[in-house]
């Protein structure tokens, strides 16, 4: 039996193959497509390394341990850990060495700058949610007067640390360098504030370290640092720079 | 003309990778030959709009890639296979090609057919649902070629596309780019002169960042017969003769 002359079998086969091989996007991907109005951007978002399930589990475990320590030992660890966990996630969201096909993605119509922004915002939001959940589990277990700051105050330092991490990562084109800079900067700030505020009669070392997230005087410098680092990211990702 | 380069230069610190290249190309297959470090990959990256020139004028598909809107339009019509293409090991062949079809903004309703057509063109149908981590190097290279052609590009850039392909696949690839060159501008950067002889309608030879020869493969062969070139094949002798002359001149 042969096909009629006017039937293009190659075309028919391609149509069949297209249906057989068609990928059905998940509900999450369909929602992201609607929100971002770009199937490509939505797909790029869902391939973010630091939003993959194992990474999220690892982040949640670290924050859960922090929450347990906070409950058990009355040490405000969630606020100190959350900025670091988020910063590392941001560093590993997108870039050379992180995305295997980064060079190719840079040649595509969906802007790599937009992919970076979308992934970074998503990683930040997810980590903020994880941090808030971890903080929520510790509510009512402390005697400090800084409950609100300890619960929400770390969001601003987290923003600054994440912005610094991202700025260094894109400037040096290295996730490891960015993550290292963010973590190191946060440790320096926490230790410096701890040393500055520690005084005889301080209830605990961790409590004095926690002033890095409870001291309202630091909020403006955190905000300024975040804005400055955002400007660096904007400059470092300009198309004129290209890939090297 | 789909490509118009005028006195294009690209520097990396003090190193001049591309030195005052002027080149234009319309539909057809242009082979880009040259030794390591000649500037082929830097030139291809500039044509792929991912590396801006340090100086000079670059027009692609009648548009200026410095302008964001133009750059986006160019990229929608661009196919690019980098020299070293990374893969997402957990993606299947179809998922990988589909991902790049979406990033190239192929209309979503056309994506499944475009992906299927690209998979068939590189003869990966039987492995369409295989994870990339299970494929051989040659198969991965074909996946890379498939993503480059999934949007039916008007400008296709291939950097060492036949590296890792067996002879049968190489012949199939040459047929594919000849077919693509009927309507699009195809630039193939390669070390393999036999690829150029079999598939390219024109050749540009680069040395030290400059284009030192532009002509047909037959003209390149003729240079070898007339000059002091060495090599087993006529094209190799032409390649060698022009490089020797360019080095002597510089």
């Amino acid at each position: 039996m042969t096909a009629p002359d006017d039937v293009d079998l190659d075309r028919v086969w391609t149509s069949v193959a297209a249906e057989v091989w068609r990928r059905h996007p998940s509900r999450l991907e369909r929602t992201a497509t609607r929100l971002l109005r770009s199937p490509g951007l939505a797909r790029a978002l869902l391939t973010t390394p630091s939003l993959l399930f194992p990474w999220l589990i690892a982040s949640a475990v670290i924050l859960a341990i922090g929450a347990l320590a906070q409950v058990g030992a009355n040490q405000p660890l969630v606020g100190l850990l959350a900025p670091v966990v988020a910063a590392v996630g941001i560093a590993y969201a997108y870039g050379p060495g992180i995305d295997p096909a980064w060079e190719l993605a840079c040649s595509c119509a969906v802007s790599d700058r937009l992919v970076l922004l979308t992934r970074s915002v998503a990683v930040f939001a997810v980590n903020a949610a994880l941090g808030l959940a971890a903080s929520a589990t510790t509510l009512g277990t402390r005697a400090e007067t800084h409950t609100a700051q300890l619960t929400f105050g770390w969001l601003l330092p987290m923003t600054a640390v994440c912005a610094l991490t991202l700025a260094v990562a894109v400037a040096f084109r290295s996730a490891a360098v960015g993550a290292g800079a963010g973590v190191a900067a946060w440790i320096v700030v926490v230790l410096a504030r701890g040393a500055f505020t520690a005084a005889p009669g301080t209830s605990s070392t961790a409590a004095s370290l926690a002033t890095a997230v409870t001291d309202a005087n630091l909020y403006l410098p955190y905000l300024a640092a975040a804005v400055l680092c955002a400007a660096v990211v904007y400059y470092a990702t300009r198309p004129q720079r290209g890939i090297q | 003309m789909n490509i118009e380069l005028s006195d294009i230069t690209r520097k990396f610190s003090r190193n001049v990778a591309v030195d005052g290249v002027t080149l234009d190309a319309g539909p057809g297959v242009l082979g880009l030959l040259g030794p390591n470090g000649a500037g082929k990959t830097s030139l291809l990256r500039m044509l792929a709009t991912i590396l801006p020139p340090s100086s000079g004028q670059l027009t692609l598909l009648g548009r200026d890639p410095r302008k964001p809107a133009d750059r986006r339009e160019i990229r929608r019509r661009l196919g690019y296979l980098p020299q070293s293409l990374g893969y997402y090991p957990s993606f299947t062949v179809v998922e990988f090609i589909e991902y790049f079809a979406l990033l190239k903004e192929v209309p979503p309703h056309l994506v499944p057919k475009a992906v299927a057509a690209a998979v068939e063109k590189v003869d990966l149908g039987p492995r369409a649902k295989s994870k990339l981590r299970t494929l051989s190097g040659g198969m991965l290279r074909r996946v890379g070629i498939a993503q480059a052609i999934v949007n039916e590009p008007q400008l296709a850039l291939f950097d060492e596309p036949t590296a890792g392909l067996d002879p049968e696949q190489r012949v199939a690839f040459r047929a594919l780019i000849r077919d693509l060159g009927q309507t699009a501008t195809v630039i193939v950067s390669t070390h393999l002169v036999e690829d150029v002889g079999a598939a390219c309608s024109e050749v540009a030879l680069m040395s030290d960042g400059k284009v030192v020869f532009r002509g047909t493969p037959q003209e390149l062969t003729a240079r070898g017969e007339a000059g002091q070139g060495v090599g087993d094949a006529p094209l190799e002798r032409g390649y060698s003769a022009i490089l020797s002359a360019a080095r002597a001149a510089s």
Side-chain angles (χ1 to χ4, degrees):
Chain A
M1 189 174 175
T2 56
D5 289 343
D6 59 343
V7 174
D8 184 343
L9 282 177
D10 283 342
R11 189 179 288 260
V12 171
W13 170 246
T14 300
S15 299
V16 171
E19 284 308 311
V20 173
W21 297 336
R22 180 191 290 267
R23 189 181 61 86
H24 297 283
S26 64
R27 182 175 293 179
L28 186 62
E29 188 174 339
R30 290 199 300 273
T31 306
T33 300
R34 274 197 295 276
L35 286 173
L36 298 169
R37 297 182 173 190
S38 164
L41 199 53
R43 190 87 181 98
L45 176 61
L46 294 185
T47 56
T48 308
S50 45
L51 286 181
L52 297 180
F53 196 61
W55 190 293
L56 292 180
I57 292 291
S59 300
V61 166
I62 291 170
L63 290 172
I65 291 169
L68 283 174
Q70 189 160 323
V71 171
N74 206 21
Q75 306 290 353
L77 284 171
V78 171
L80 298 176
L81 285 174
V84 168
V85 172
V88 175
I90 294 263
Y92 284 86
Y94 187 56
I98 303 308
D99 206 301
W102 183 73
E103 181 176 344
L104 185 55
C106 288
S107 74
C108 291
V110 173
S111 156
D112 53 321
R113 211 178 201 184
L114 200 55
V115 174
L116 176 68
L117 177 69
T118 307
R119 284 184 171 188
S120 300
V121 168
V123 170
F124 183 87
V126 167
N127 280 280
L130 288 175
L132 285 172
S135 287
T137 61
T138 64
L139 282 179
T141 60
R142 293 188 306 271
E144 289 97 335
T145 55
H146 302 303
T147 302
Q149 289 100 316
L150 281 171
T151 306
F152 300 108
W154 48 264
L155 278 171
L156 204 50
M158 181 168 130
T159 308
V161 174
C162 287
L164 173 70
T165 301
L166 187 59
V168 175
V170 297
F172 288 90
R173 298 182 187 278
S174 165
V177 172
V183 172
W186 182 235
I187 289 171
V188 167
V189 168
V190 168
L191 291 178
R193 286 304 297 174
F196 183 73
T197 55
T202 301
S203 59
S204 71
T205 309
S208 63
L209 294 179
T211 55
V213 294
T214 56
D215 187 351
N217 291 325
L218 288 175
Y219 290 174
L220 195 58
Y222 284 145
L223 198 59
V227 170
L228 182 67
C229 290
V232 171
V233 172
Y234 184 81
Y235 182 75
T237 56
R238 68 198 186 282
Q240 289 79 8
R241 188 183 184 211
I243 65 167
Q244 299 295 323
Chain B
M1 286 293 159
N2 285 343
I3 294 175
E4 290 170 82
L5 307 182
S6 177
D7 201 20
I8 288 287
T9 296
R10 176 68 207 195
K11 293 178 183 171
F12 296 99
S13 301
R14 290 181 180 176
N15 180 32
V16 182
V18 177
D19 189 3
V21 168
T22 298
L23 190 75
D24 51 40
V29 184
L30 173 68
L32 199 56
L33 284 172
N36 293 331
K40 303 187 299 294
T41 294
S42 294
L43 183 61
L44 233 55
R45 283 175 160 183
M46 285 191 280
L47 294 173
T49 72
I50 55 178
L51 190 67
S54 304
S55 64
Q57 184 67 37
L58 173 63
T59 306
L60 301 170
L61 304 174
R63 294 173 174 86
D64 182 353
R66 285 174 302 183
K67 297 175 184 168
D70 279 10
R71 189 167 56 244
R72 188 172 177 180
E73 278 305 315
I74 293 165
R75 288 176 172 182
R76 282 179 177 157
R77 294 162 172 77
L78 176 74
Y80 176 49
L81 175 68
Q83 192 170 20
S84 57
L85 173 60
Y87 302 89
Y88 306 101
S90 61
F91 275 32
T92 66
V93 170
V94 165
E95 284 171 349
F96 185 80
I97 299 167
E98 185 214 30
Y99 179 41
F100 284 97
L102 293 172
L103 287 182
K104 291 175 186 189
E105 297 185 333
V106 174
H109 67 283
L110 298 178
V111 166
K113 271 194 183 177
V115 171
V119 169
E120 288 298 336
K121 278 181 185 168
V122 297
D123 199 21
L124 277 174
R127 304 301 298 267
K129 290 285 202 178
S130 300
K131 300 272 187 196
L132 295 183
R133 63 169 163 260
T134 67
L135 302 187
S136 68
M139 286 176 180
L140 288 172
R141 205 65 188 151
R142 283 190 278 159
V143 173
I145 293 166
Q147 66 73 29
I149 61 172
V150 70
N151 56 335
E152 296 183 358
Q154 287 175 260
L155 174 58
L157 310 168
F158 298 99
D159 200 350
E160 301 291 352
T162 54
L165 298 188
D166 63 38
E168 197 179 7
Q169 292 162 359
R170 203 173 288 169
V171 170
F173 173 73
R174 290 172 191 158
L176 190 151
I177 60 170
R178 275 197 300 268
D179 188 35
L180 196 60
Q182 300 290 320
T183 53
T185 299
V186 182
I187 298 191
V188 183
S189 167
T190 181
H191 286 99
L192 303 171
V193 290
E194 61 265 36
D195 282 347
V196 170
C200 300
S201 48
E202 276 198 291
V203 186
L205 204 160
M206 289 188 75
S207 175
D208 292 331
K210 296 184 174 73
V211 173
V212 293
F213 172 82
R214 171 82 188 271
T216 63
Q218 292 73 27
E219 287 168 338
L220 183 60
T221 302
R223 291 286 195 96
E225 285 161 0
Q228 305 290 316
V230 292
D232 297 327
L235 268 173
E236 282 179 346
R237 288 192 286 276
Y239 172 89
S240 161
I242 289 168
L243 277 185
S244 300
R247 284 169 184 154
S250 64

